[in-house]
Amino acid sequence: MHPVTALRAHRHPSTPPAGRLPGRRPLAAGRGLNLPASSAHFQPPPCSTVRASASAQPIKPGSAYPAGATCSTCGLCDTPFIASVRDACAFLGDGMARLDALEPALHGRSRDGRGGGQEDQLGVIQAQFLGRMAPPPPGAATQWSGIVTSLACAALEAGLVDGVACVASQPDDPLCPRPILARTAAEVRAAAGVKPSLSPSLELLPQVADAVAAGTLSRLLFIGVGCQVQALRAVAGQLGLASLLVLGTNCTDNGWKKGLETFLASSSASPSTARHYEFHVDYRVHIVHADPAAVPTERIPYFSLPASKLTDVIAPSCYSCFDYTNGGADLVVGYMGAPYGGDGTPMRGSWQHVVVRNARGAALVDALSASAAGSALEVRPVVEAGSRAALVRATVEADDAARRGEGPTSPMPVWLGTLIARLLTMFGPRGIEFARYSVDYHVLRNFLYTRRHLARKGGASSPPLPAGARAIVEAYNADGWVDRLLAAPPGPGPGGPVVKGRGADGWWVGGGRAEGGEL
Ligand code: FAD
Ligand code: SF4
Ligand code: SF4
């Protein structure tokens, strides 16, 4: 039996989480959170082959996008599929709460607790494991060990799909996203690596629909992040595909290319040579450079980053996001659920966390296992240790204080930040518990942001939350802690360009702040 098959039987970790939140209770009447429930009436669109309205015009350069400041530039509105924006956009109407109806339709069940108490954070889990490609796929500048690239190549080579929608780089800028419809494994390998800014991946939809109509494509693999996947799922029935596989990655704290430049300029000693970076599970940002012999990997403690210079780096969409772990994907790959391998382990040699949500996701893993590259896939069971709850609260409170201008005026010295990072790596939440820490923190931070800064038409004061995020907020508010944070003065909202369309230079233009924006 291939190790992946064996691990699939090992559905959930046998080790119970070492730390637990206080028991989840419904909010007391009058407690004040008044979380809007998702619509019970949403149905995923039928699998028809109706094309997007020919009369629907993509957004014109310079015009406002329907989701305004919270648009993540997923690309849908740059196509005639904009006709479906009201039902598809992750930031309009029921928004990300559509996951509650989408998940049972896609995976056969909701997040019902069968995932070992982890599904509020991780989504529906049919199976999960740690994996790594050893060695990484040759000739591919992968972000981690290249599981995503290897899965996509295997799917193409096995004839499981005819094309892969993925994100390559702009010819003149390796960090700038360029969505492509890859037809060969070589094209997929050339698109390896994260381009760490918002990618208009759904602008590929007309190309996909045309290829389907021409008879050159019927089975598609889409690689993308949660907001893109949600919009794609809503219009997938219009594409005429025989099958759609979705290989997701986790995603949080994304932003515009300009924000990335600001981040690298203020954090790295060599911003122009940076090729990959991650907020790693050892509480340090690892920045990998084009020539590691010339510029070794930088490891900067989170606590020593110049927070005051980084206020506009994350886009308002990503402060409004409740789908970190990509609930609508068939299979999800990320790094935050895997334990730290030590300073001697490069990102490309590290374990990754793989969550299989349904039979389509399992078929993708099987295709890799059976392929020539399958012998390079190492797998082992997930692990977890430590306790997240106190650290989540401390992180949210520190973040909130900084936003009100009450945080430290200068970054923590690197020696002290490194010491704290080392202690947390040894004794703090690790493995799956670290992933749950990260999701809890981002859900709570984003909940506070949306409640404070986003007004909606029609009375509700913030976007509806999907059930998993709602459960997280309720658990931390069992003693009224979230209410108390909401009662404090909020400070300014995150800024950034209001998304208005493509500029002549092919990138996004605009200006203003998200604060007070309307959804
Ligand atoms: P590779 O084999 O290098 O393949 C990476 C794939 O990512 C490529 O196929 C490419 O199509 C796709 N891609 C590149 N840029 C983008 C983009 N901008 N938008 C959509 N798709 C893109 N994991 C976590 O655990 N926590 C996080 O906070 C987190 N944030 C992420 C943010 C972004 C924008 C992305 C794209 C990924 C993020 N991930 C996160 C996932 C993680 O960084 C790796 O993508 C994942 O572990 C796969 O690594 P790999 O070596 O297998 O990928
Ligand atoms: Fe359109 Fe996508 Fe922006 Fe929503 S996020 S407004 S669907 S481009
Ligand atoms: Fe989209 Fe959320 Fe990632 Fe932002 S953080 S790019 S909204 S999935």
Side-chain angles (χ1 to χ4, degrees), residues 72 91 96 198 225-228 251-254 317-318 321 323:
S72 68
F91 307 96
M96 292 187 166
L198 299 169
V225 299
C227 59
Q228 300 163 353
C251 179
T252 194
D253 292 355
N254 208 350
S317 54
C318 307
C321 177
D323 191 20

Side-chain angles (χ1 to χ4, degrees), residues 65-68 70-78 82 85 88-92 231:
Y65 278 67
T70 50
C71 172
S72 68
T73 67
C74 76
L76 184 92
C77 295
D78 300 311
I82 189 176
V85 68
C89 179
F91 307 96
L92 291 174

Side-chain angles (χ1 to χ4, degrees), residues 179-279:
I180 60 162
L181 180 58
R183 297 304 200 122
T184 65
E187 288 174 296
V188 173
R189 276 193 289 273
V194 169
K195 290 72 190 179
S197 52
L198 299 169
S199 167
S201 296
L202 298 191
E203 70 178 16
L204 293 172
L205 292 181
Q207 195 183 337
V208 169
D210 288 348
V212 172
T216 59
L217 179 82
S218 68
R219 294 160 304 167
L220 177 72
L221 173 64
F222 180 88
I223 300 175
V225 299
C227 59
Q228 300 163 353
V229 170
Q230 286 188 36
L232 171 69
R233 291 295 195 187
V235 299
Q238 301 175 35
L239 294 170
L241 289 162
S243 69
L244 171 66
L245 270 170
V246 176
L247 171 49
T249 65
N250 292 338
C251 179
T252 194
D253 292 355
N254 208 350
W256 288 284
K257 183 72 195 330
K258 281 209 175 311
L260 170 65
E261 286 160 9
T262 306
F263 171 75
L264 289 174
S266 24
S267 310
S268 173
S270 178
S272 63
T273 59
R275 289 295 175 272
H276 309 276
Y277 82 85
E278 296 283 12
F279 281 70

Side-chain angles (χ1 to χ4, degrees), residues 12 20 50 94 137 140 208 210 224 229-230 240 293 312 336 375 401 406 409 456 473-474 476 496 500:
H12 305 300
R20 293 242 176 245
V50 181
D94 276 351
V208 169
D210 288 348
V229 170
Q230 286 188 36
D312 285 354
M336 63 175 173
S375 58
E406 295 166 6
T409 47
R456 282 171 75 93
V473 174
E474 288 176 351
Y476 283 91
K500 285 198 169 165

Side-chain angles (χ1 to χ4, degrees), residues 268-303:
S268 173
S270 178
S272 63
T273 59
R275 289 295 175 272
H276 309 276
Y277 82 85
E278 296 283 12
F279 281 70
H280 208 330
V281 297
D282 65 337
Y283 304 86
R284 293 182 294 174
V285 187
H286 290 217
I287 305 178
V288 180
H289 293 271
D291 179 0
V295 186
T297 298
E298 296 173 277
R299 296 186 182 90
I300 308 148
Y302 297 176
F303 322 100

